[in-house]
């Protein structure tokens, strides 16, 4: 992933976590190969049905808050353009967990 895409992706995901957190955000590397970035918050969390709807362009789950509802869909586009994957789940902190997996750099490249 090139630097501008990475900066935009992390900005979107961290801003989303900040907007919903009650006070704690966790950023972890995980997965079997250590190739998954997980950003989670201690916010109110979402139901399974709401989690399924995340990433729909313009699909805001809370109309009371400001925003356009396109942040997570842009994140999904960045991930898709870089042959990665994005998944959502309930966080250990209680809110939302976003799992980002991007392909590794080929061996021998800087």
């Amino acid at each position: 992933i090139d630097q501008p895409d990475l900066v935009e992706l992390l900005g979107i995901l961290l801003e989303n976590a900040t907007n919903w957190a009650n006070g704690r955000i966790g950023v972890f590397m995980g997965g079997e190969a250590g190739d998954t970035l997980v950003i989670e918050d201690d916010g109110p969390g979402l139901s399974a049905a709401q989690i399924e709807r995340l990433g729909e362009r313009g699909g805001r789950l809370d109309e009371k808050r400001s925003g356009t509802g396109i942040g997570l869909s842009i994140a999904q586009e960045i991930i898709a353009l870089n042959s990665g994957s994005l998944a959502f789940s309930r966080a250990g902190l209680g809110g939302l967990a976003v799992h980002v997996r991007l392909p590794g750099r080929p061996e021998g490249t800087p």
Side-chain angles (χ1 to χ4, degrees):
I1 186 167
D2 66 8
Q3 184 177 1
D5 279 355
L6 181 60
V7 168
E8 184 172 6
L9 175 64
L10 292 175
I12 289 168
L13 298 179
L14 290 170
E15 180 179 14
N16 188 69
T18 301
N19 287 341
W20 290 100
N22 289 321
R24 291 180 58 203
I25 295 172
V27 179
F28 311 95
M29 289 301 296
E32 289 182 24
D35 60 354
T36 303
L37 171 69
V38 180
I39 299 173
E40 63 180 32
D41 64 70
D42 67 348
L46 299 169
S47 69
Q50 289 172 314
I51 287 174
E52 284 185 32
R53 290 185 44 218
L54 283 175
E56 293 176 1
R57 185 172 280 280
R60 296 180 54 209
L61 297 178
D62 186 348
E63 298 293 330
K64 296 175 190 166
R65 293 187 182 223
S66 63
T68 60
I70 63 170
L72 292 178
S73 66
I74 291 171
Q76 285 183 315
E77 290 174 14
I78 293 169
I79 296 289
L81 288 170
N82 288 280
S83 303
S85 64
L86 185 67
F88 306 103
S89 68
R90 184 80 173 178
L93 294 175
L96 180 68
V98 180
H99 306 262
V100 177
R101 186 162 187 236
L102 293 167
R105 190 178 296 175
E107 279 196 42
T109 60

